[in-house]
Amino acid sequence: MMEHINVAVIEDDKIIHESLVRSIEMYPALNLSWDAYSVEEALEKILDDRTISPDVILLDIGLPGMSGIEGLPHIKKSLEKSDIIMLTTYDESEIIFKALCSGACSYISKKTSLKVIMDSIFTVYRGGSYMSPTIARKIAEHFSPLKSQPDSSSVLTPRQLEIVKHLSDGLSYKMIADTMNISLDTVRSHIKKIYKSLEVNNKIAV
């Protein structure tokens, strides 16, 4: 049975927006639920039709008006079952961790190829998460024993820290699975749990 994944796009850059929409329309398994150029427009669309519930939302961080990070909790409140993939041009650790700790299940640079972005939609829909080497490096640095608070390393399990290290070294999911003698789905599941741990830890810290 072929998958049927409903996707929404929130992106203000017209060229990137149109590229994402076109890419989604090229995949038979993907269906564009709706698209918006701002969080405010997206929230209006959600309120206008409560029956629309995308499985996956591509959300830009740097939006006019309410930013993607500010808008994420509002979107999650209305669409609790939707998974959110953050798209950004930013590389600053602080901005990355605000996004990671806000409830997003994946974080992808706009420099990433459209194919990888589309692949990440399938990964997230199937219960996993996508993490690029750049993001993994930021997380590895954050939880380094030399930089972390005494109890901060407990946020991630040794297994999760090992996966983050492999990702930051540039290993593919398949290579990590082979190295750690676990399945590909287990790697994806661990990555999703890493994002969740960061979100929970952030709420505790606040």
Side-chain angles (χ1 to χ4, degrees):
M1 185 177 177
M2 190 176 78
E3 291 170 310
H4 183 80
I5 308 171
N6 293 313
V7 185
V9 174
I10 310 172
E11 167 63 61
D12 68 310
D13 184 292
K14 190 173 181 181
I15 294 174
I16 296 174
H17 185 116
E18 291 177 353
S19 294
L20 290 169
V21 169
R22 280 198 305 271
S23 295
I24 290 167
E25 291 172 343
M26 287 174 62
Y27 286 76
L30 302 182
N31 172 63
L32 183 68
S33 294
W34 48 262
D35 61 305
Y37 286 85
S38 67
V39 170
E40 290 83 356
E41 183 186 354
L43 291 174
E44 283 182 15
K45 289 178 182 285
I46 294 167
L47 287 172
D48 285 344
D49 190 349
R50 289 287 186 176
T51 63
I52 300 176
S53 183
D55 299 300
V56 180
I57 300 172
L58 298 177
L59 174 61
D60 180 27
I61 285 184
L63 292 165
M66 195 183 297
S67 72
I69 295 174
E70 292 168 335
L72 195 151
H74 298 285
I75 295 169
K76 289 291 286 183
K77 186 176 180 181
S78 299
L79 301 172
E80 293 180 7
K81 294 182 179 180
S82 298
D83 284 314
I84 298 178
I85 299 173
M86 304 298 285
L87 299 176
T88 186
T89 55
Y90 298 107
D91 192 39
E92 293 89 343
S93 296
E94 185 180 348
I95 295 173
I96 287 173
F97 274 91
K98 278 184 180 178
L100 292 178
C101 297
S102 295
C105 70
S106 294
Y107 184 103
I108 302 178
S109 167
K110 290 183 186 179
K111 297 173 184 175
T112 306
S113 70
L114 285 167
K115 184 185 183 306
V116 170
I117 294 175
M118 294 302 110
D119 286 346
S120 73
I121 293 173
F122 287 93
T123 296
V124 166
Y125 179 76
R126 293 165 185 164
S129 284
Y130 175 82
M131 185 180 292
S132 69
T134 303
I135 305 306
R137 249 174 253 121
K138 297 289 184 185
I139 294 174
E141 289 170 6
H142 182 77
F143 291 106
S144 163
L146 296 176
K147 297 182 180 181
S148 299
Q149 296 299 320
D151 62 343
S152 65
S153 60
S154 63
V155 174
L156 302 182
T157 67
R159 198 76 158 165
Q160 290 169 347
L161 287 169
E162 186 180 354
I163 288 175
V164 168
K165 178 66 169 61
H166 286 318
L167 283 168
S168 65
D169 289 339
L171 270 66
S172 68
Y173 286 17
K174 177 68 167 63
M175 291 166 70
I176 293 172
D178 291 342
T179 300
M180 297 179 68
N181 196 29
I182 56 179
S183 72
L184 204 54
D185 284 340
T186 300
V187 173
R188 294 179 179 128
S189 177
H190 271 302
I191 292 170
K192 189 161 192 174
K193 288 175 183 175
I194 290 167
Y195 280 121
K196 194 67 181 174
S197 295
L198 291 169
E199 179 190 357
V200 171
N201 184 61
N202 181 64
K203 287 178 180 177
I204 293 171
V206 173

